Amino acid sequence: MHLQVADQLPRPSKDPKGLADIGKWMCAADLVHTIHGAEQQSQAQMQQQGVTVETSRDMHDAALAAMIFSHLPPVRLSCIRSLVGPAYLGPCLHPDCKEPSCEGNRLSIMSESPLLMRISLPHHKNARKWGKAVIEFDVPSDLAQLLHTYLGAPRKALLEHHLLIGDACPYVFMDMHGRGFVAAAVLTLYWQKWLVSRGGVPMNPSMCRQVFVDERQSDSATAGPSNQGAAMVMGHSVKQWDKWYDMQYHPRLAQNAVDGMQSWRAAMLQSHTLAAPDLTLSIALHCGHVLVSDYEESRYQSCCSDSDSDIELD
């Protein structure tokens, strides 16, 4: 009975069109535009109104959104949630880490002038599979400037607002209570509320990875990062794109194959320059009074049987 009931329940949609129909999908261009607008607005408000709790929270949210999507290939949310700031000098906060020299997933300031920031992610989903290889990269200049500004007076204002004196919260990003996004569900709800407030839809932040892959794998993909490099920053491989994130992978391959067959067919027609085969004997066998011995007839029937063996019966 439970199997029959399950067959009647609507299955969760994972393809972009189905997600868009239920208001759970934004294309890559719309997301980038939304996040870019939030970045510009937060910086303008900070210049006009100064450092307040409201302008600091807006800049925090813009920086968080810019980390999730737009400037970087979508890094795993667990890495963003566990990212500690440059001011944190304590031990690695990853619960399973046993490396005494590990500094954890960290945002570091390598140089103030010119500004250079670096992200190091020793703890990611495939760290063990990759032989403890660290995902590490320098932060793009626009994102680095936004993060550097937020980590100054705005972040201090938020900590003081939540009565967290000093650098009590080691993480770069914090919830509305000044605590790190330790639970994934908290970040999901926080992101959804923020995205809707910016005119978007309540899609999960993890969906940004699918949005990115959908654009990169589409026939109209814009020039951008190499798929292999982007997949590495995302903490997996291009092969996993096809399996988990690119829901149009098989339909697109099938359609491309069908479309390609038309040019193939045209090429076959153009290259057909050989003379037509001589069908005289075949006509004679069927229409003329040709005497065939029993031995020759059995050989003929055997050949027909062999040629028919490749025909699919089902």
Side-chain angles (χ1 to χ4, degrees):
M1 175 65 71
H2 71 279
L3 293 177
Q4 295 176 351
V5 173
D7 289 339
Q8 301 303 318
L9 294 176
R11 301 184 183 277
S13 177
K14 290 186 177 181
D15 65 282
K17 184 180 183 304
L19 290 168
D21 290 342
I22 61 175
K24 296 288 186 179
W25 179 269
M26 291 178 67
C27 70
D30 289 344
L31 263 179
V32 170
H33 179 78
T34 298
I35 295 171
H36 179 64
E39 294 177 51
Q40 290 186 316
Q41 182 177 354
S42 68
Q43 292 170 334
Q45 288 179 342
M46 189 66 68
Q47 293 178 351
Q48 297 170 3
Q49 304 174 26
V51 179
T52 66
V53 174
E54 289 74 20
T55 58
S56 298
R57 178 56 66 176
D58 286 344
M59 180 161 283
H60 165 279
D61 294 349
L64 174 61
M67 277 288 298
I68 292 176
F69 197 78
S70 185
H71 293 273
L72 308 172
V75 178
R76 288 191 183 278
L77 297 177
S78 59
C79 295
I80 295 176
R81 291 189 292 110
S82 60
L83 194 68
V84 298
Y88 178 71
L89 302 178
C92 176
L93 298 177
H94 193 280
D96 298 326
C97 183
K98 298 180 181 179
E99 299 291 335
S101 60
C102 181
E103 296 183 340
N105 292 342
R106 176 174 292 273
L107 172 65
S108 304
I109 299 177
M110 311 303 296
S111 171
E112 291 280 359
S113 182
L115 179 61
L116 176 61
M117 304 184 80
R118 181 169 297 165
I119 289 177
S120 299
L121 304 173
H123 297 294
H124 53 90
K125 187 175 181 179
N126 285 326
R128 184 174 300 178
K129 183 178 179 181
W130 291 2
K132 297 183 179 181
V134 178
I135 298 176
E136 188 173 75
F137 51 87
D138 293 342
V139 180
S141 58
D142 288 348
L143 178 57
Q145 187 60 58
L146 178 64
L147 289 169
H148 188 263
T149 303
Y150 155 68
L151 289 172
R155 188 173 187 276
K156 182 180 179 181
L158 291 178
L159 291 172
E160 291 178 349
H161 173 70
H162 297 298
L163 302 179
L164 299 174
I165 307 303
D167 199 23
C169 180
Y171 300 107
V172 173
F173 302 108
M174 63 185 82
D175 62 17
M176 294 300 292
H177 302 286
R179 300 171 299 200
F181 292 100
V182 179
V186 176
L187 177 57
T188 295
L189 293 174
Y190 190 96
W191 160 271
Q192 288 178 332
K193 183 177 180 180
W194 177 85
L195 192 57
V196 170
S197 72
R198 302 295 308 184
V201 301
M203 59 181 281
N204 291 349
S206 59
M207 193 67 67
C208 291
R209 294 163 71 84
Q210 184 178 337
V211 171
F212 177 75
V213 172
D214 179 74
E215 193 282 331
R216 298 314 304 148
Q217 297 286 72
S218 69
D219 294 333
S220 58
T222 304
S226 69
N227 290 351
Q228 185 176 6
M232 182 168 292
V233 173
M234 295 171 70
H236 54 209
S237 64
V238 176
K239 186 176 181 180
Q240 288 175 290
W241 282 16
D242 303 334
K243 186 175 182 180
W244 298 107
Y245 295 103
D246 185 8
M247 298 304 159
Q248 295 299 307
Y249 175 70
H250 292 96
R252 186 172 61 252
L253 282 185
Q255 188 61 57
N256 287 345
V258 171
D259 294 343
M261 280 297 295
Q262 308 319 302
S263 58
W264 176 87
R265 178 177 178 274
M268 292 298 100
L269 292 174
Q270 293 177 0
S271 64
H272 186 65
T273 56
L274 298 177
D278 186 1
L279 301 180
T280 304
L281 179 59
S282 176
I283 296 174
L285 285 173
H286 291 285
C287 301
H289 299 283
V290 179
L291 297 178
V292 182
S293 67
D294 293 342
Y295 171 72
E296 290 174 330
E297 183 175 2
S298 65
R299 284 190 62 194
Y300 174 72
Q301 291 176 347
S302 176
C303 290
C304 288
S305 176
D306 288 344
S307 65
D308 291 343
S309 63
D310 289 336
I311 297 177
E312 298 181 3
L313 300 179
D314 48 357

